[in-house]
Amino acid sequence: MDARQRAQDLARMRDEVFDIVVIGGGVTGAGVALDAATRGLSVALVEQRDFAAGTSSRSSKLFHGGLRYLEQLELGLVTEALQERNLMLNRLCPHLARPVTFLYPLTHRVWERAYVGAGIALYDALAAFGSNPLPRHRHLSKRAARRLVPSLRDDVLTGAITYSDAQVDDARHTMSLVRTAHHHGAAVAASVQVVDLLREDGRVTGVRARDVETDDELDIRGRQTVNATGVWTDEIQDMAGGAALRVRASKGVHLVVPRDRIDAGAGLICRTPTSVLFVIPWGDFWLVGTTDTDWNLDLARPAASAADLDYLLGQANRWLRPALTHADIVGVYAGLRPLLHGESDSTSKLSREHAVTTVAPGLLSVAGGKYTTYRVMAADAVDAAVAAMGVDAPASCTESVPLVGATGYQAMRNRRDQLAAESGLPVDRIDRLLGRYGSELPVLLELLRTDPAMAECLPGTDDYLAAE
Ligand SMILES: Cc1cc2nc3c(=O)[nH]c(=O)nc-3n(C[C@H](O)[C@H](O)[C@H](O)COP(=O)(O)OP(=O)(O)OC[C@H]3O[C@@H](n4cnc5c(N)ncnc54)[C@H](O)[C@@H]3O)c2cc1C
């Protein structure tokens, strides 16, 4: 996708009447576009900034069932999310999703191991409903736990349990979804902001949008418009004068800490007074998060406060030695969870489930949910759009639609030694590139072949090449 593709798709958006116009290029909107396109529907997707610029680049980057939702007895939600996790690992994006081991440290001798062990065993059992490619959980003695994570505090630890989940570069994954949707015929454009809704005879018939690059306005017509704008849901609904769903923004902050500051061979999941704390391996870094507080300021610029940093350091240091300090923090990011409005005052208790609602004739909102379950949300939204259009469209088939780079990935991975020899790149570099581009890697290697300067590392990082 490039400037030429954007111009072509904008021209299509001006000319065509689409079955579905999707507002919002986060994982939900990208998922809706892919679901609709692969059912043979015509679809346009617009995003006001860059794809995944909202919450979908600021998550904990886990495809997971959510161990802590088990405690809230959300068994259906956890099972569904675990099935999606397995699908990502097995079929939809095995190049982008990778296994990650978490250690749950125990501090009490008997009851805690029994209680947490039962929960994690149930988590593994629920995962078995899909084809689970990950190792099962393991109970560790205190010594074994400290061997795996030497940075764990000796004075509080009694033992541990390890289990597996999956992680993903969320922004790259959303971008891959958009590219896959485009490959299947969707017209897609970033930097296009919806500023109003088009109406005819009381129906919403599309959107009025502004090309942020040129300031030009364009009308994009569709039989159904799907509002997939996450924490901006209310703004679009207000344009229709309706308030079908109310979405509350809950801020979550992560610290980025260099890998050598924590001596650990696995991630950590630790209980906090209200939720859990994750310490997640992320390339040369650890992500330490997250928080859960209301946010009522600029939705485009959630920011961490000094109190957020102190809270996260304090929680991490309940478990880690040497203790982390402010000097160890090399980055911070904050994102906003789009939570469906509930009765509860505490955002950590608001529902993580999603909802699809008719806001006005011709306009649907889809919101809530988790990154992991975007595909289910998208299928529900397109089902609702199809029902509202009264057309006969096939059922969702995204369960069997691999993302760009997924088809042929395993075969290419098996050839990584040859690829390294042919390209002159080290095998671990080939591995990392395969983890970003999958079976599209030859396109990148061809760039390196024609222009060796493209094989230089980008300034400030030895992880990314100029060609990227
Ligand atoms: C701290 C944190 C950690 C999380 N960790 C996880 C996790 O590990 N695993 C998991 O499964 N889930 C996780 N989540 C939840 C998950 O990230 C979100 O549920 C998901 O990313 C929401 O995606 P979305 O597409 O609905 O919203 P967004 O990604 O916010 O997308 C909405 C898009 O709409 C666009 N938009 C808004 N208004 C307009 C307009 N007028 N015109 C055009 N475009 C517009 C925005 O720019 C934005 O890009 C986490 C969330 C947070 C905050």
Side-chain angles (χ1 to χ4, degrees):
M1 282 169 33
D2 54 17
R4 204 170 54 125
Q5 164 273 320
R6 183 173 183 275
Q8 283 169 350
D9 281 5
L10 283 175
R12 278 186 63 194
M13 289 183 193
R14 284 195 173 85
D15 293 346
E16 287 180 33
V17 178
F18 293 90
D19 290 318
I20 298 182
V21 176
V22 187
I23 316 171
V27 72
T28 309
V32 171
L34 178 60
D35 190 285
T38 52
R39 293 193 203 203
L41 301 170
S42 63
V43 56
L45 168 68
V46 289
E47 160 57 43
Q48 64 182 354
R49 294 188 289 166
D50 203 350
F51 296 113
T55 308
S56 297
S57 56
R58 298 146 186 262
S59 76
S60 303
K61 309 181 194 302
L62 297 175
F63 279 137
H64 66 159
L67 193 55
R68 76 190 183 87
Y69 305 130
L70 269 189
E71 206 166 27
Q72 299 163 4
L73 294 178
E74 305 243 35
L75 294 191
L77 193 69
V78 174
T79 308
E80 183 176 73
L82 286 170
Q83 281 174 356
E84 291 301 309
R85 178 198 78 183
N86 294 345
L87 194 58
M88 304 301 156
L89 285 162
N90 290 331
R91 191 186 305 156
L92 300 192
C93 53
H95 56 310
L96 299 176
R98 43 186 75 79
V100 56
T101 303
F102 284 107
L103 180 146
Y104 189 114
L106 302 171
T107 53
H108 302 276
R109 288 219 174 266
V110 181
W111 70 264
E112 194 188 15
R113 187 180 285 281
Y115 179 72
V116 177
I120 294 181
L122 177 60
Y123 194 71
D124 273 350
L126 295 176
F129 282 116
S131 164
N132 184 7
L134 298 176
R136 284 178 54 79
H137 70 281
R138 284 178 52 214
H139 282 260
L140 302 185
S141 65
K142 176 175 175 174
R143 254 179 68 190
R146 291 209 68 233
R147 248 200 322 273
L148 184 61
V149 182
S151 283
L152 275 175
R153 271 176 59 176
D154 192 45
D155 53 333
V156 292
L157 192 72
T158 57
I161 304 174
T162 58
Y163 74 98
S164 298
D165 251 322
Q167 64 181 169
V168 67
D169 180 338
D170 47 5
R172 187 175 293 281
H173 172 265
T174 295
M175 188 64 210
S176 300
L177 265 179
V178 174
R179 291 185 56 219
T180 309
H182 181 256
H183 173 78
H184 287 280
V188 302
S191 299
V192 174
Q193 181 182 35
V194 169
V195 291
D196 204 353
L197 299 170
L198 305 177
R199 289 177 202 79
E200 271 168 42
D201 302 329
R203 280 187 65 78
V204 173
T205 54
V207 301
R208 173 149 302 154
R210 186 173 69 91
D211 180 342
V212 177
E213 290 185 4
T214 59
D215 227 17
D216 291 344
E217 281 206 344
L218 67 154
D219 288 352
I220 311 170
R221 300 192 178 277
R223 299 165 74 188
Q224 282 289 314
T225 298
V226 176
N227 172 18
T229 53
V231 290
W232 288 268
T233 298
D234 293 9
E235 286 184 10
I236 301 293
Q237 291 181 161
D238 289 346
M239 293 177 192
L245 293 175
R246 280 296 171 205
V247 171
R248 180 162 149 189
S250 143
K251 186 181 73 170
V253 172
H254 285 86
L255 310 179
V256 184
V257 173
R259 196 68 182 254
D260 62 5
R261 299 299 194 281
I262 303 171
D263 187 4
L268 298 178
I269 177 171
C270 311
R271 196 178 272 283
T272 66
T274 53
S275 182
V276 292
L277 179 87
F278 280 112
V279 179
I280 306 168
W282 188 250
D284 294 337
F285 303 95
W286 296 99
L287 306 180
V288 181
T290 179
T291 59
D292 202 337
T293 52
D294 260 344
W295 177 260
N296 299 310
L297 302 175
D298 186 352
L299 295 177
R301 288 179 192 76
S305 64
D308 292 327
L309 306 198
D310 289 343
Y311 167 81
L312 289 172
L313 287 176
Q315 289 301 324
N317 290 335
R318 288 176 58 210
W319 305 98
L320 298 174
R321 281 295 174 270
L324 296 176
T325 69
H326 283 267
D328 295 319
I329 302 172
V330 294
V332 176
Y333 66 91
L336 298 176
R337 294 177 193 85
L339 298 184
L340 299 180
H341 230 311
E343 296 293 304
S344 166
D345 279 344
S346 154
T347 59
S348 60
K349 291 202 193 94
L350 284 177
S351 172
R352 294 309 200 245
E353 286 186 41
H354 70 269
V356 178
T357 319
T358 303
V359 186
L363 177 67
L364 297 167
S365 279
V366 52
K370 302 173 9 140
Y371 196 104
T372 309
T373 51
Y374 78 86
R375 207 186 57 80
V376 181
M377 294 174 71
D380 287 352
V382 177
D383 280 347
V386 165
M389 285 189 282
V391 294
D392 202 13
S396 172
C397 65
T398 51
E399 195 181 352
S400 56
V401 178
L403 302 196
V404 287
T407 305
Y409 159 71
Q410 192 53 51
M412 196 163 290
R413 189 154 189 274
N414 295 343
R415 290 183 49 238
R416 61 189 184 283
D417 288 344
Q418 288 109 299
L419 289 168
E422 284 161 23
S423 64
L425 295 175
V427 176
D428 64 337
R429 168 80 68 190
I430 291 288
D431 267 337
R432 268 182 283 168
L433 293 174
L434 278 168
R436 291 181 199 138
Y437 307 102
S439 55
E440 291 191 306
L441 178 59
V443 178
L444 191 104
L445 296 183
E446 180 58 19
L447 280 175
L448 305 189
R449 203 184 58 76
T450 49
D451 182 358
M454 289 284 166
E456 300 288 321
C457 293
L458 285 176
T461 171
D462 58 5
D463 201 22
Y464 289 88
L465 304 180
E468 298 183 70

